[in-house]
Structures are given as structure tokens and as C-alpha cells.
Coordinates of all heavy atoms in Angstrom, one line a residue:
M1 N -47.8 -113.1 23.8 CA -48.8 -114.0 23.5 C -49.5 -113.4 22.2 O -49.7 -112.3 22.0 CB -49.8 -114.0 24.6 CG -51.0 -114.9 24.4 SD -52.0 -115.2 25.9 CE -53.1 -113.9 25.9
E2 N -49.9 -114.3 21.3 CA -50.6 -113.9 20.1 C -51.8 -114.8 19.9 O -51.9 -115.9 20.1 CB -49.6 -114.2 18.9 CG -50.2 -113.7 17.6 CD -49.2 -113.8 16.5 OE1 -48.0 -113.8 16.8 OE2 -49.6 -113.8 15.3
A3 N -52.9 -114.1 19.5 CA -54.2 -114.8 19.2 C -54.6 -114.4 17.8 O -54.6 -113.2 17.5 CB -55.2 -114.4 20.2
N4 N -54.9 -115.4 17.0 CA -55.4 -115.1 15.7 C -56.9 -115.0 15.7 O -57.6 -116.0 16.0 CB -55.0 -116.2 14.7 CG -53.6 -116.1 14.3 OD1 -53.0 -115.0 14.2 ND2 -52.9 -117.2 14.2
L5 N -57.5 -113.8 15.4 CA -58.9 -113.6 15.5 C -59.5 -114.2 14.2 O -60.7 -114.7 14.3 CB -59.2 -112.1 15.6 CG -58.6 -111.4 16.8 CD1 -58.9 -110.0 16.8 CD2 -59.1 -112.1 18.1
D6 N -58.9 -114.1 13.1 CA -59.2 -114.9 11.9 C -57.9 -114.9 11.1 O -56.9 -114.6 11.6 CB -60.4 -114.3 11.1 CG -60.2 -113.0 10.5 OD1 -59.0 -112.6 10.3 OD2 -61.1 -112.3 10.1
K7 N -58.0 -115.2 9.8 CA -56.7 -115.3 9.1 C -56.0 -114.0 8.8 O -54.8 -114.0 8.5 CB -57.0 -116.0 7.7 CG -57.5 -117.4 7.9 CD -57.6 -118.1 6.6 CE -58.4 -119.4 6.7 NZ -57.6 -120.5 7.1
T8 N -56.6 -112.9 9.1 CA -56.0 -111.6 8.8 C -55.7 -110.7 10.0 O -54.9 -109.8 9.9 CB -56.8 -110.8 7.8 OG1 -58.1 -110.6 8.3 CG2 -56.9 -111.5 6.4
F9 N -56.3 -111.0 11.1 CA -56.1 -110.2 12.3 C -55.2 -110.9 13.3 O -55.3 -112.1 13.5 CB -57.5 -109.9 13.0 CG -58.3 -108.9 12.3 CD1 -59.3 -109.3 11.4 CD2 -58.1 -107.6 12.5 CE1 -60.1 -108.4 10.8 CE2 -58.9 -106.6 11.9 CZ -59.9 -107.1 11.0
S10 N -54.4 -110.1 14.0 CA -53.6 -110.7 15.1 C -53.7 -109.8 16.3 O -53.7 -108.5 16.1 CB -52.1 -110.8 14.7 OG -51.9 -111.7 13.6
L11 N -53.7 -110.4 17.5 CA -53.7 -109.6 18.7 C -52.4 -110.0 19.5 O -52.2 -111.1 19.8 CB -55.0 -110.0 19.5 CG -55.2 -109.2 20.8 CD1 -55.5 -107.7 20.4 CD2 -56.4 -109.8 21.5
L12 N -51.6 -109.0 19.6 CA -50.3 -109.2 20.3 C -50.3 -108.6 21.7 O -50.6 -107.4 21.8 CB -49.1 -108.6 19.5 CG -49.1 -109.0 18.0 CD1 -48.1 -108.2 17.3 CD2 -48.8 -110.5 17.9
W13 N -50.0 -109.4 22.7 CA -50.0 -108.9 24.1 C -48.6 -109.0 24.6 O -48.0 -110.0 24.7 CB -50.9 -109.9 24.9 CG -51.4 -109.4 26.2 CD1 -50.7 -109.3 27.3 CD2 -52.7 -108.9 26.4 NE1 -51.5 -108.8 28.3 CE2 -52.8 -108.6 27.8 CE3 -53.9 -108.8 25.7 CZ2 -53.9 -108.1 28.4 CZ3 -55.0 -108.3 26.3 CH2 -55.0 -107.9 27.6
F14 N -48.1 -107.8 25.1 CA -46.7 -107.7 25.6 C -46.8 -107.3 27.1 O -47.5 -106.4 27.5 CB -45.9 -106.6 24.9 CG -45.7 -107.0 23.5 CD1 -46.4 -106.3 22.5 CD2 -44.8 -107.9 23.1 CE1 -46.3 -106.6 21.1 CE2 -44.6 -108.2 21.7 CZ -45.4 -107.6 20.8
L15 N -46.1 -108.1 27.9 CA -46.1 -107.8 29.4 C -44.8 -107.2 29.7 O -43.8 -107.9 29.8 CB -46.3 -109.1 30.1 CG -46.4 -109.1 31.6 CD1 -47.6 -108.2 32.1 CD2 -46.5 -110.5 32.2
R16 N -44.7 -105.9 29.9 CA -43.5 -105.2 30.2 C -43.1 -105.5 31.6 O -41.9 -105.8 31.9 CB -43.6 -103.7 30.1 CG -44.0 -103.2 28.7 CD -42.8 -103.3 27.8 NE -43.1 -102.8 26.5 CZ -42.4 -103.0 25.5 NH1 -41.2 -103.6 25.6 NH2 -42.8 -102.5 24.3
N17 N -44.0 -105.4 32.5 CA -43.9 -105.9 33.9 C -45.3 -106.2 34.4 O -46.3 -106.0 33.6 CB -43.2 -104.9 34.8 CG -43.9 -103.6 35.0 OD1 -45.1 -103.5 35.3 ND2 -43.2 -102.5 34.7
K18 N -45.5 -106.7 35.6 CA -46.8 -107.1 36.0 C -47.8 -106.0 36.0 O -49.0 -106.2 36.0 CB -46.8 -107.8 37.3 CG -46.5 -107.0 38.5 CD -46.6 -107.7 39.8 CE -46.4 -106.8 40.9 NZ -47.1 -107.2 42.1
D19 N -47.3 -104.7 36.1 CA -48.2 -103.6 36.2 C -48.2 -102.7 34.9 O -48.8 -101.6 34.9 CB -47.8 -102.7 37.4 CG -48.1 -103.4 38.7 OD1 -49.0 -104.2 38.7 OD2 -47.4 -103.1 39.7
F20 N -47.6 -103.1 33.8 CA -47.7 -102.4 32.6 C -47.7 -103.4 31.4 O -46.8 -104.2 31.2 CB -46.5 -101.5 32.4 CG -46.6 -100.6 31.2 CD1 -47.3 -99.4 31.3 CD2 -46.1 -100.9 30.0 CE1 -47.5 -98.5 30.3 CE2 -46.3 -100.0 28.9 CZ -47.0 -98.9 29.0
Q21 N -48.8 -103.3 30.7 CA -49.0 -104.2 29.6 C -49.3 -103.5 28.3 O -49.9 -102.4 28.4 CB -50.2 -105.2 29.9 CG -50.0 -106.0 31.1 CD -51.2 -106.7 31.5 OE1 -52.0 -107.2 30.7 NE2 -51.4 -106.9 32.8
E22 N -49.0 -104.0 27.2 CA -49.3 -103.4 25.9 C -50.0 -104.5 25.0 O -49.6 -105.6 25.0 CB -48.0 -103.0 25.1 CG -47.3 -101.9 25.8 CD -46.0 -101.5 25.1 OE1 -45.3 -102.4 24.5 OE2 -45.6 -100.4 25.1
V23 N -51.0 -104.0 24.3 CA -51.7 -104.9 23.4 C -51.8 -104.2 22.0 O -52.1 -103.0 21.9 CB -53.2 -105.1 23.9 CG1 -53.9 -106.0 23.0 CG2 -53.1 -105.7 25.3
T24 N -51.5 -104.9 21.0 CA -51.6 -104.4 19.6 C -52.5 -105.3 18.8 O -52.4 -106.5 18.7 CB -50.1 -104.4 19.0 OG1 -49.3 -103.7 19.8 CG2 -50.1 -103.8 17.6
L25 N -53.4 -104.6 18.0 CA -54.3 -105.3 17.1 C -53.7 -105.0 15.7 O -53.6 -103.8 15.3 CB -55.7 -104.8 17.2 CG -56.7 -105.4 16.2 CD1 -56.9 -106.9 16.5 CD2 -58.0 -104.6 16.3
E26 N -53.4 -106.0 14.9 CA -52.9 -105.9 13.6 C -53.7 -106.6 12.6 O -54.4 -107.6 12.9 CB -51.5 -106.5 13.5 CG -50.4 -105.8 14.3 CD -49.0 -106.5 14.2 OE1 -49.0 -107.6 13.6 OE2 -48.1 -105.9 14.7
K27 N -53.7 -106.1 11.4 CA -54.4 -106.8 10.3 C -53.4 -106.8 9.1 O -53.0 -105.7 8.7 CB -55.7 -106.0 9.9 CG -56.4 -106.7 8.7 CD -57.7 -106.0 8.3 CE -58.3 -106.7 7.1 NZ -59.5 -106.0 6.7
D28 N -53.1 -107.9 8.6 CA -52.1 -108.1 7.5 C -50.8 -107.4 7.8 O -50.2 -106.8 6.9 CB -52.7 -107.6 6.2 CG -54.0 -108.4 5.8 OD1 -54.0 -109.6 6.1 OD2 -54.9 -107.8 5.2
G29 N -50.4 -107.4 9.1 CA -49.1 -106.8 9.4 C -49.2 -105.3 9.7 O -48.2 -104.7 10.0
V30 N -50.3 -104.7 9.5 CA -50.5 -103.3 9.7 C -51.1 -103.0 11.1 O -52.2 -103.6 11.4 CB -51.4 -102.6 8.6 CG1 -51.6 -101.2 8.9 CG2 -50.7 -102.9 7.3
V31 N -50.5 -102.2 11.9 CA -51.1 -101.9 13.2 C -52.3 -101.1 13.1 O -52.3 -100.0 12.5 CB -50.0 -101.2 14.1 CG1 -50.6 -100.7 15.4 CG2 -48.8 -102.0 14.3
L32 N -53.4 -101.6 13.6 CA -54.7 -100.9 13.6 C -54.9 -100.1 14.9 O -55.3 -98.9 14.9 CB -55.9 -101.9 13.4 CG -55.9 -102.7 12.2 CD1 -57.0 -103.7 12.2 CD2 -55.9 -101.8 10.9
L33 N -54.7 -100.7 16.1 CA -54.9 -100.1 17.4 C -53.8 -100.6 18.3 O -53.3 -101.7 18.3 CB -56.2 -100.5 18.0 CG -57.5 -99.9 17.3 CD1 -58.7 -100.6 17.9 CD2 -57.5 -98.4 17.4
Q34 N -53.4 -99.7 19.2 CA -52.5 -100.0 20.3 C -53.0 -99.6 21.6 O -53.6 -98.5 21.7 CB -51.1 -99.4 20.1 CG -50.3 -100.0 19.0 CD -48.9 -99.5 18.9 OE1 -48.7 -98.4 18.5 NE2 -48.0 -100.3 19.3
F35 N -53.0 -100.5 22.6 CA -53.5 -100.2 23.9 C -52.4 -100.4 24.9 O -51.5 -101.1 24.8 CB -54.6 -101.3 24.2 CG -55.7 -101.4 23.2 CD1 -55.5 -102.3 22.2 CD2 -56.8 -100.7 23.2 CE1 -56.5 -102.5 21.2 CE2 -57.8 -100.8 22.3 CZ -57.7 -101.7 21.3
A36 N -52.6 -99.6 26.1 CA -51.7 -99.8 27.2 C -52.5 -99.9 28.5 O -53.6 -99.3 28.6 CB -50.8 -98.6 27.3
L37 N -52.1 -100.7 29.4 CA -52.7 -100.9 30.7 C -51.6 -100.6 31.7 O -50.6 -101.3 31.8 CB -53.3 -102.3 30.9 CG -54.4 -102.7 29.9 CD1 -53.8 -103.2 28.6 CD2 -55.2 -103.8 30.6
A38 N -51.8 -99.5 32.4 CA -50.8 -99.0 33.4 C -51.4 -99.0 34.8 O -52.4 -98.4 35.0 CB -50.3 -97.7 33.0
Y39 N -50.8 -99.7 35.7 CA -51.3 -99.8 37.1 C -50.1 -99.4 38.0 O -49.0 -99.7 37.8 CB -51.7 -101.3 37.5 CG -52.6 -101.9 36.5 CD1 -52.4 -103.1 35.9 CD2 -53.8 -101.2 36.1 CE1 -53.3 -103.6 35.0 CE2 -54.7 -101.7 35.2 CZ -54.4 -103.0 34.7 OH -55.3 -103.5 33.8
G40 N -50.5 -98.6 39.0 CA -49.5 -98.1 40.0 C -49.0 -96.8 39.5 O -48.9 -96.5 38.4
F41 N -48.6 -95.9 40.5 CA -48.3 -94.5 40.2 C -47.0 -94.4 39.4 O -46.9 -93.5 38.5 CB -48.1 -93.7 41.5 CG -49.4 -93.4 42.2 CD1 -49.8 -93.9 43.4 CD2 -50.3 -92.5 41.5 CE1 -51.0 -93.6 43.9 CE2 -51.5 -92.2 42.1 CZ -51.8 -92.7 43.3
R42 N -46.0 -95.3 39.6 CA -44.8 -95.1 38.8 C -45.0 -95.4 37.3 O -44.6 -94.6 36.4 CB -43.7 -96.1 39.3 CG -42.4 -96.0 38.5 CD -41.3 -96.8 39.1 NE -41.2 -96.3 40.5 CZ -40.4 -96.9 41.4 NH1 -39.7 -98.0 41.0 NH2 -40.2 -96.4 42.6
N43 N -45.8 -96.4 37.0 CA -46.1 -96.7 35.6 C -47.0 -95.6 35.0 O -46.9 -95.2 33.8 CB -46.8 -98.0 35.4 CG -45.9 -99.1 35.7 OD1 -44.8 -99.2 35.1 ND2 -46.2 -100.1 36.5
I44 N -47.9 -95.0 35.8 CA -48.8 -93.9 35.3 C -47.9 -92.7 35.0 O -48.1 -92.0 34.0 CB -49.9 -93.6 36.3 CG1 -50.9 -94.8 36.4 CG2 -50.7 -92.4 36.0 CD1 -51.9 -94.7 37.6
Q45 N -47.0 -92.4 35.9 CA -46.1 -91.2 35.7 C -45.3 -91.4 34.4 O -45.2 -90.4 33.7 CB -45.2 -91.1 36.9 CG -45.8 -90.5 38.1 CD -44.8 -90.4 39.3 OE1 -44.0 -91.3 39.4 NE2 -44.9 -89.3 40.0
N46 N -44.8 -92.5 34.2 CA -44.0 -92.8 33.0 C -44.9 -92.6 31.7 O -44.5 -92.0 30.7 CB -43.4 -94.2 33.0 CG -42.3 -94.3 34.0 OD1 -41.7 -93.3 34.5 ND2 -42.0 -95.5 34.4
L47 N -46.1 -93.1 31.8 CA -47.0 -93.0 30.7 C -47.4 -91.6 30.4 O -47.4 -91.1 29.3 CB -48.2 -93.9 30.9 CG -49.2 -94.0 29.8 CD1 -48.6 -94.5 28.5 CD2 -50.4 -94.8 30.2
V48 N -47.7 -90.8 31.5 CA -48.1 -89.4 31.3 C -46.9 -88.6 30.7 O -47.1 -87.7 29.9 CB -48.5 -88.8 32.7 CG1 -48.6 -87.3 32.6 CG2 -49.8 -89.4 33.1
Q49 N -45.7 -88.9 31.1 CA -44.5 -88.2 30.5 C -44.4 -88.5 29.0 O -44.2 -87.6 28.2 CB -43.2 -88.6 31.2 CG -43.1 -88.1 32.6 CD -43.2 -86.6 32.7 OE1 -42.6 -85.9 31.9 NE2 -43.9 -86.1 33.6
K50 N -44.7 -89.7 28.6 CA -44.7 -90.1 27.2 C -45.8 -89.3 26.4 O -45.6 -88.8 25.4 CB -44.9 -91.6 27.0 CG -43.7 -92.4 27.1 CD -44.1 -93.8 26.7 CE -42.9 -94.8 26.8 NZ -43.2 -96.1 26.4
L51 N -46.9 -89.2 27.1 CA -48.1 -88.5 26.5 C -47.7 -87.0 26.3 O -48.0 -86.4 25.3 CB -49.3 -88.7 27.3 CG -50.0 -90.0 27.3 CD1 -51.0 -90.2 28.4 CD2 -50.6 -90.3 25.9
K52 N -47.1 -86.4 27.3 CA -46.8 -85.0 27.3 C -45.8 -84.7 26.2 O -45.8 -83.6 25.6 CB -46.2 -84.5 28.6 CG -47.3 -84.3 29.7 CD -46.6 -83.8 31.0 CE -47.7 -83.6 32.0 NZ -47.0 -83.1 33.3
R53 N -44.8 -85.6 26.0 CA -43.8 -85.4 25.0 C -44.3 -85.8 23.6 O -43.5 -85.7 22.6 CB -42.6 -86.2 25.3 CG -41.8 -85.7 26.5 CD -40.5 -86.4 26.7 NE -40.6 -87.8 26.7 CZ -40.5 -88.6 27.8 NH1 -40.2 -88.0 29.0 NH2 -40.6 -89.9 27.8
G54 N -45.5 -86.4 23.5 CA -46.0 -86.8 22.2 C -45.3 -88.1 21.7 O -45.3 -88.3 20.5
K55 N -44.8 -88.9 22.6 CA -44.1 -90.1 22.2 C -44.9 -91.4 22.5 O -44.4 -92.5 22.4 CB -42.8 -90.2 23.0 CG -41.9 -89.0 22.9 CD -40.9 -89.2 21.8 CE -40.0 -88.0 21.8 NZ -39.1 -88.0 20.6
S56 N -46.2 -91.2 22.7 CA -47.0 -92.4 23.1 C -47.7 -92.9 21.8 O -48.4 -92.2 21.1 CB -48.1 -92.0 24.1 OG -49.0 -93.0 24.3
P57 N -47.5 -94.2 21.5 CA -48.1 -94.8 20.3 C -49.6 -95.3 20.5 O -50.2 -95.9 19.6 CB -47.2 -95.9 20.0 CG -46.8 -96.4 21.3 CD -46.6 -95.1 22.2
Y58 N -50.1 -95.1 21.7 CA -51.3 -95.8 22.1 C -52.6 -95.0 21.7 O -52.7 -93.8 21.7 CB -51.4 -96.0 23.6 CG -50.1 -96.6 24.1 CD1 -49.3 -96.0 25.0 CD2 -49.8 -97.9 23.7 CE1 -48.1 -96.6 25.4 CE2 -48.6 -98.5 24.2 CZ -47.8 -97.8 25.0 OH -46.6 -98.4 25.5
H59 N -53.6 -95.8 21.3 CA -54.9 -95.3 20.9 C -55.9 -95.3 22.1 O -56.8 -94.5 22.2 CB -55.5 -96.1 19.8 CG -54.7 -96.1 18.6 ND1 -53.8 -97.0 18.2 CD2 -54.7 -95.2 17.6 CE1 -53.2 -96.8 17.1 NE2 -53.7 -95.6 16.7
Y60 N -55.6 -96.2 23.1 CA -56.4 -96.3 24.3 C -55.5 -96.7 25.4 O -54.6 -97.5 25.3 CB -57.5 -97.4 24.1 CG -58.3 -97.7 25.3 CD1 -59.4 -96.9 25.6 CD2 -58.0 -98.7 26.2 CE1 -60.2 -97.1 26.7 CE2 -58.7 -99.0 27.3 CZ -59.8 -98.2 27.6 OH -60.5 -98.4 28.7
V61 N -55.8 -96.0 26.6 CA -55.0 -96.3 27.8 C -55.9 -96.5 29.0 O -56.8 -95.8 29.2 CB -54.0 -95.1 28.1 CG1 -53.3 -95.3 29.3 CG2 -53.1 -94.8 26.9
E62 N -55.6 -97.6 29.7 CA -56.3 -97.8 31.0 C -55.3 -97.6 32.1 O -54.2 -98.1 32.1 CB -56.9 -99.2 31.0 CG -57.5 -99.6 32.4 CD -57.9 -101.0 32.5 OE1 -59.0 -101.3 31.9 OE2 -57.2 -101.8 33.1
V63 N -55.7 -96.8 33.1 CA -54.9 -96.5 34.2 C -55.6 -96.8 35.5 O -56.8 -96.5 35.6 CB -54.3 -95.1 34.2 CG1 -53.4 -94.9 33.1 CG2 -55.3 -94.1 34.3
M64 N -54.9 -97.4 36.5 CA -55.5 -97.5 37.8 C -54.3 -97.3 38.8 O -53.2 -97.7 38.6 CB -56.0 -99.0 38.0 CG -57.2 -99.3 37.3 SD -57.7 -101.0 37.7 CE -59.5 -100.8 37.6
A65 N -54.6 -96.5 39.8 CA -53.6 -96.2 40.8 C -53.2 -97.4 41.6 O -52.0 -97.5 42.1 CB -54.2 -95.1 41.8
C66 N -54.1 -98.4 41.8 CA -53.7 -99.6 42.5 C -52.7 -100.5 41.8 O -52.9 -100.7 40.6 CB -55.0 -100.5 42.7 SG -56.4 -99.6 43.4
P67 N -51.7 -100.9 42.4 CA -50.8 -101.9 41.8 C -51.6 -103.1 41.3 O -52.5 -103.6 42.0 CB -49.8 -102.3 42.9 CG -49.8 -101.1 43.8 CD -51.3 -100.6 43.8
S68 N -51.2 -103.7 40.2 CA -51.8 -104.9 39.6 C -53.2 -104.7 39.2 O -53.9 -105.6 38.9 CB -51.7 -106.1 40.6 OG -50.3 -106.3 40.9
G69 N -53.7 -103.5 39.2 CA -55.1 -103.2 38.7 C -56.1 -103.9 39.5 O -57.0 -104.6 39.0
K70 N -56.0 -103.9 40.8 CA -56.9 -104.6 41.7 C -58.3 -104.3 41.4 O -58.7 -103.1 41.3 CB -56.6 -104.3 43.2 CG -55.2 -104.6 43.6 CD -55.0 -106.1 43.7 CE -53.7 -106.4 44.3 NZ -53.3 -107.7 44.1
T71 N -59.1 -105.4 41.3 CA -60.6 -105.2 40.9 C -61.5 -105.9 41.9 O -62.7 -106.0 41.6 CB -60.8 -105.6 39.5 OG1 -60.4 -107.0 39.4 CG2 -60.1 -104.7 38.5
E72 N -60.9 -106.5 42.9 CA -61.8 -107.3 43.8 C -62.4 -106.5 44.9 O -63.1 -107.1 45.8 CB -61.0 -108.5 44.3 CG -59.9 -108.2 45.3 CD -58.6 -108.0 44.7 OE1 -58.4 -108.1 43.5 OE2 -57.6 -107.6 45.4
H73 N -62.3 -105.2 44.9 CA -63.0 -104.4 45.9 C -64.5 -104.5 45.7 O -65.0 -104.6 44.6 CB -62.5 -103.0 45.8 CG -61.0 -102.8 46.0 ND1 -60.4 -103.1 47.2 CD2 -60.1 -102.5 45.1 CE1 -59.1 -102.9 47.0 NE2 -58.9 -102.5 45.8
H74 N -65.2 -104.4 46.8 CA -66.7 -104.5 46.8 C -67.3 -103.4 46.0 O -68.4 -103.6 45.4 CB -67.3 -104.5 48.2 CG -67.0 -103.3 49.0 ND1 -67.6 -102.1 48.7 CD2 -66.2 -103.0 50.0 CE1 -67.2 -101.2 49.5 NE2 -66.3 -101.7 50.3
W75 N -66.7 -102.3 45.8 CA -67.3 -101.2 45.1 C -67.1 -101.3 43.6 O -67.6 -100.5 42.8 CB -66.8 -99.8 45.6 CG -65.3 -99.8 45.8 CD1 -64.6 -100.1 46.9 CD2 -64.3 -99.6 44.8 NE1 -63.2 -100.0 46.7 CE2 -63.0 -99.7 45.4 CE3 -64.3 -99.3 43.4 CZ2 -61.8 -99.5 44.7 CZ3 -63.1 -99.1 42.7 CH2 -61.9 -99.3 43.4
Y76 N -66.2 -102.2 43.1 CA -66.0 -102.3 41.7 C -67.2 -103.0 41.0 O -67.6 -104.1 41.4 CB -64.7 -103.1 41.4 CG -64.4 -103.2 40.0 CD1 -63.8 -102.2 39.3 CD2 -64.6 -104.4 39.3 CE1 -63.5 -102.3 37.9 CE2 -64.3 -104.6 38.0 CZ -63.8 -103.5 37.3 OH -63.5 -103.6 36.0
N77 N -67.7 -102.4 40.0 CA -68.9 -103.0 39.3 C -68.6 -102.9 37.8 O -68.9 -101.9 37.2 CB -70.2 -102.3 39.7 CG -71.4 -103.0 39.1 OD1 -71.3 -104.1 38.6 ND2 -72.5 -102.4 39.3
P78 N -68.1 -103.9 37.2 CA -67.8 -103.8 35.7 C -69.0 -103.6 34.8 O -70.1 -104.0 35.1 CB -67.1 -105.1 35.4 CG -67.5 -106.1 36.5 CD -67.9 -105.2 37.7

């Protein structure tokens, strides 16, 4: 999915699987920021291994142990 924030910015959203997503913010074709959202222990383990090896391109990472990043629990307060 791609969203044009204005004529020079692009937001690219990649869904690797339902529990791992990547988002890239570009300006004029140059990557400004890369984000990852990892849910569930398997995806977190894979991401941590990339981080340890220095192979992670991400500037920001969100991780949640719950599969699918469950947020409907009564204790969640955004």
C-alpha cells in the first residue's frame, strides 16, 4: 500500500505476514525512515537476530509478544 503525503513524500507499507509489517517513509525516492512492527515470539526472535548481526535496516521497531498485536485488553491505554 502506498500513500502520498504530498508530492514529494511516500509512505510504503509492506505486510510480510499478519504479524510482521514494514513501513518505509521516502522523499523523492530516498528512504528517510524505516519501521517494523513485529508481533508474536517467532517474529520477535527473527528481528532480534537481525539486530544482533547488524542486518536490521529499521530506525524504529514496535514489538508485542501477543500474536497480531492484540490491543483490546482492558489494561491497554494508548
Side-chain angles (χ1 to χ4, degrees):
M1 179 165 91
E2 183 174 339
N4 286 323
L5 302 177
D6 69 19
K7 294 186 191 277
T8 58
F9 287 96
S10 295
L11 187 64
L12 307 171
W13 199 283
F14 298 102
L15 183 64
R16 299 283 181 195
N17 62 51
K18 70 177 187 151
D19 291 331
F20 189 83
Q21 302 170 35
E22 296 177 327
V23 180
T24 302
L25 177 65
E26 294 181 349
K27 180 180 179 183
D28 298 326
V30 176
V31 174
L32 300 176
L33 293 171
Q34 286 188 289
F35 307 90
L37 296 85
Y39 308 127
F41 284 114
R42 183 172 299 173
N43 289 310
I44 293 170
Q45 284 178 324
N46 291 338
L47 185 60
V48 168
Q49 290 302 317
K50 278 185 177 181
L51 289 167
K52 284 182 177 180
R53 290 190 305 253
K55 304 270 185 187
S56 174
Y58 309 115
H59 299 96
Y60 176 83
V61 176
E62 175 184 281
V63 295
M64 289 183 146
C66 309
S68 301
K70 298 291 184 194
T71 58
E72 68 268 0
H73 302 291
H74 61 71
W75 46 264
Y76 181 78
N77 187 9

